[in-house]
Amino acid sequence: MTRNITIGITGFILIIIVLIAQPFTFENIDAGNVGIRINLYGSDKGVDNITLVTGRVWYNAWTTKIIEFPTYTQSVDYDSFVITTKDAAEFKVDPKLNYHINPEKVPQIYRQYRRPLGEIQQGFMKNTIYDAYRIVANSFTSDSVMSNREVFEDRVQNVLTKTLGRDGFVYDQLTSAITPPPSLRQMIDEKNTSIQARLKAENMAKQAEAEAKVIIARAEGQAKATLIKARAEAEANQLRQKTLTPLLIQQEWVAKWNGVLPTTNAGGGASLMLGIK
């Protein structure tokens, strides 16, 4: 009886040990992630050409390892660093990268780097971003960086798109916080102040010129109006002089005569209307 109990207890313990020590387990690949199966032993040791879809995956933990990579957008805020332009000016850059992984290239990424994604971001990707900024900065002067900011950033993005995309990292967006050196910032502020003062002076000059043109136009208009009026009066006078004949003058005099003869120094009333029949 005692022997049977001992055998039973031993068997139970062995079953528990087997259940605990058995190598088969599973991994849940969440949505927005892909997993890769890595063989730890055998002739095909390494990364299988299999990309596991989302869901529960069973595998032998003694001979196989599952690595999970997120394929949704990742946002990485890198530490600021210094770049040098062609004329030896130093700018501080504080980049923030948004990217995602091409699911089909996850096995290739692990084969090449053999690191978790976090380490890849702070290793290969960080160096790639820093190099892109430094390479592009060498082709710009300090003034051109500030005056052609969009062109500068577009070139950096083109380098990153090409370099990261080749290894399976899909570039989405890059935010750059570019800070010029204090001396250059002061020069830029002074230049902007000078430009604003010049534009203000030009606007005032244009306004004064426009007001002067209005005054001149009004004066010319008044002068033309006066001249036209004078010409009209002169022409009217000339016309009157041409039409005032002696007969017309006598007729006008008769029409206005009140019947009283004018008195002259010769005495008496005398008719001045001589020759009127």
Side-chain angles (χ1 to χ4, degrees):
M1 183 70 177
T2 302
R3 182 182 177 184
N4 291 337
I5 294 174
T6 302
I7 294 173
I9 293 174
T10 303
F12 178 76
I13 292 173
L14 289 174
I15 291 173
I16 296 298
I17 292 174
V18 170
L19 290 175
I20 294 175
Q22 65 87 22
F24 294 99
T25 185
F26 65 89
E27 183 79 21
N28 286 321
I29 309 299
D30 298 328
N33 296 267
V34 295
I36 54 175
R37 186 192 303 271
I38 302 172
N39 292 326
L40 303 177
Y41 301 98
S43 59
D44 57 347
K45 180 173 59 176
V47 182
D48 287 345
N49 291 322
I50 299 174
T51 300
L52 303 176
V53 295
T54 58
R56 178 171 296 180
V57 180
W58 288 91
Y59 63 98
N60 187 336
W62 290 354
T63 61
T64 308
K65 180 169 67 173
I66 300 295
I67 299 293
E68 189 173 356
F69 277 80
T71 56
Y72 55 86
T73 299
Q74 303 290 307
S75 182
V76 188
D77 193 355
Y78 290 100
D79 295 334
S80 60
F81 62 100
V82 175
I83 58 174
T84 304
T85 58
K86 187 165 56 175
D87 53 350
E90 293 184 345
F91 286 75
K92 186 174 74 172
V93 181
D94 188 8
K96 183 176 182 180
L97 175 67
N98 292 337
Y99 76 97
H100 66 275
I101 293 178
N102 182 350
E104 297 179 357
K105 291 192 175 183
V106 169
Q108 173 185 328
I109 292 173
Y110 189 80
R111 283 195 196 97
Q112 184 170 352
Y113 299 103
R114 300 284 178 156
R115 295 286 186 276
L117 183 58
E119 293 184 16
I120 297 174
Q121 289 176 168
Q122 295 302 323
F124 160 74
M125 298 181 68
K126 178 180 178 180
N127 294 334
T128 299
I129 292 173
Y130 286 14
D131 289 343
Y133 275 103
R134 289 176 178 136
I135 291 171
V136 175
N138 286 333
S139 62
F140 280 79
T141 62
S142 55
D143 288 340
S144 61
V145 169
M146 301 308 297
S147 59
N148 299 282
R149 179 80 172 269
E150 293 183 1
V151 176
F152 177 83
E153 293 187 349
D154 285 344
R155 291 189 184 179
V156 173
Q157 293 172 7
N158 290 336
V159 173
L160 291 178
T161 300
K162 182 178 179 180
T163 306
L164 296 178
R166 184 169 56 240
D167 291 335
F169 303 98
V170 182
Y171 168 89
D172 290 330
Q173 185 181 16
L174 179 68
T175 302
S176 304
I178 302 177
T179 305
S183 58
L184 180 59
R185 170 54 65 187
Q186 182 179 357
M187 290 175 59
I188 293 173
D189 292 340
E190 291 175 353
K191 181 179 179 180
N192 290 335
T193 301
S194 175
I195 292 174
Q196 291 175 0
R198 178 172 56 82
L199 292 176
K200 183 178 180 180
E202 290 178 355
N203 290 334
M204 292 178 64
K206 289 180 180 179
Q207 182 178 358
E209 183 180 356
E211 292 175 353
K213 288 182 178 179
V214 171
I215 295 173
I216 293 173
R218 288 177 180 174
E220 289 179 349
Q222 292 176 356
K224 289 181 179 179
T226 302
L227 180 60
I228 291 172
K229 183 178 179 181
R231 286 177 178 174
E233 290 179 353
E235 291 176 358
N237 290 333
Q238 290 178 359
L239 183 60
R240 290 192 188 98
Q241 291 176 0
K242 291 180 179 180
T243 56
L244 287 178
T245 62
L247 179 59
L248 181 59
I249 293 174
Q250 291 181 0
Q251 290 177 349
E252 290 290 331
W253 191 87
V254 171
K256 294 180 179 180
W257 184 47
N258 56 4
V260 179
L261 294 175
T263 302
T264 64
N265 293 330
S271 174
L272 298 179
M273 295 184 61
L274 300 178
I276 300 178
K277 297 179 179 181

